[in-house]
Amino acid sequence: MQKLSLLANVLKSNGIVLRQSLTPCTRVVARSFATGEEGGEGRKEEAPPVDPFLQNQSRGSIYAKLTGIGKNTLKTDIIHFLEGCHLTTEDVRVEYNRTFASLSMILRFPSRSVFQNAIRSTTRKGRLYKLEEVDRGQWDIQTSYDGQSVLLSGIPRNALAEDVERFLCGCDYDASSLQMFVRGGFPEPIRMATVRFPSQIDATNAIRMKNRGFILNNLVTMKLLQ
């Protein structure tokens, strides 16, 4: 009995020692795993910040109307005026009336932040221009002539397409694009025509050579359409 009691005491003592030696390790390992899980959860919650520029880009283009322009204002004039707003000639369309007088320009900005910069720039420079946001429909209805079309005004009422083509002899243009029409004017209606050229250089060369020439004894003026 004494031997059994002694053995039991030894085993009991060893068991206590074993638990005391393992328990701290177990706590350390458990704490390590717990810390790792908490750290992992923390890293998942901390998402990287979104680039504001990319965030704005995802929202699409912003369209705006610029009023206060003159009859001779060019697209490049507005691009230089709004320098730093990332505009190209493809982002600017001119709004014309029925007699092709310039009314305004419709602009396309790559993001809302750039549009807001343009507003601040317009206000800061103190020009007579007014810039306001419009919907995309205002952009879509404007024809972009890209500086490759020319307007001819003052064509005689009795002139034929052949007369206009004879007037443009020596110029490189697309004869199939010739369109003739009449617009109200004072003291009498004005006959006009539009014709398209292969490039802006060809169009400007035609104006340089033919502007203020004559068709059937009528003085004809030419204007580049943007």
Side-chain angles (χ1 to χ4, degrees), residues 75-191:
K75 289 183 178 182
T76 51
D77 296 331
I78 301 305
I79 292 172
H80 292 155
F81 176 74
L82 296 175
E83 185 178 7
C85 292
H86 314 294
L87 295 177
T88 68
T89 53
E90 294 181 354
D91 299 313
V92 183
R93 292 184 179 179
V94 181
E95 179 187 13
Y96 294 105
N97 64 11
R98 284 176 54 81
T99 59
F100 286 91
S102 304
L103 298 178
S104 67
M105 291 191 180
I106 310 300
L107 312 180
R108 179 178 60 189
F109 295 95
S111 68
R112 180 163 296 280
S113 63
V114 176
F115 166 64
Q116 292 171 344
N117 287 339
I119 291 180
R120 287 191 290 268
S121 179
T122 302
T123 304
R124 184 175 64 252
K125 293 179 180 180
R127 297 291 184 90
L128 297 178
Y129 297 137
K130 180 182 178 182
L131 188 64
E132 58 183 357
E133 185 175 352
V134 297
D135 58 50
R136 178 167 181 168
Q138 293 290 312
W139 168 269
D140 291 337
I141 63 175
Q142 306 305 326
T143 300
S144 180
Y145 296 97
D146 300 324
Q148 295 179 232
S149 294
V150 171
L151 173 71
L152 290 80
S153 302
I155 299 172
R157 296 288 299 276
N158 60 335
L160 303 176
E162 290 79 2
D163 297 315
V164 177
E165 291 175 358
R166 191 177 301 111
F167 172 76
L168 293 172
C169 181
C171 301
D172 186 8
Y173 67 97
D174 179 7
S176 65
S177 70
L178 178 62
Q179 296 184 353
M180 301 175 67
F181 48 89
V182 177
R183 293 290 184 263
F186 182 82
E188 59 183 19
I190 303 172
R191 195 169 192 200

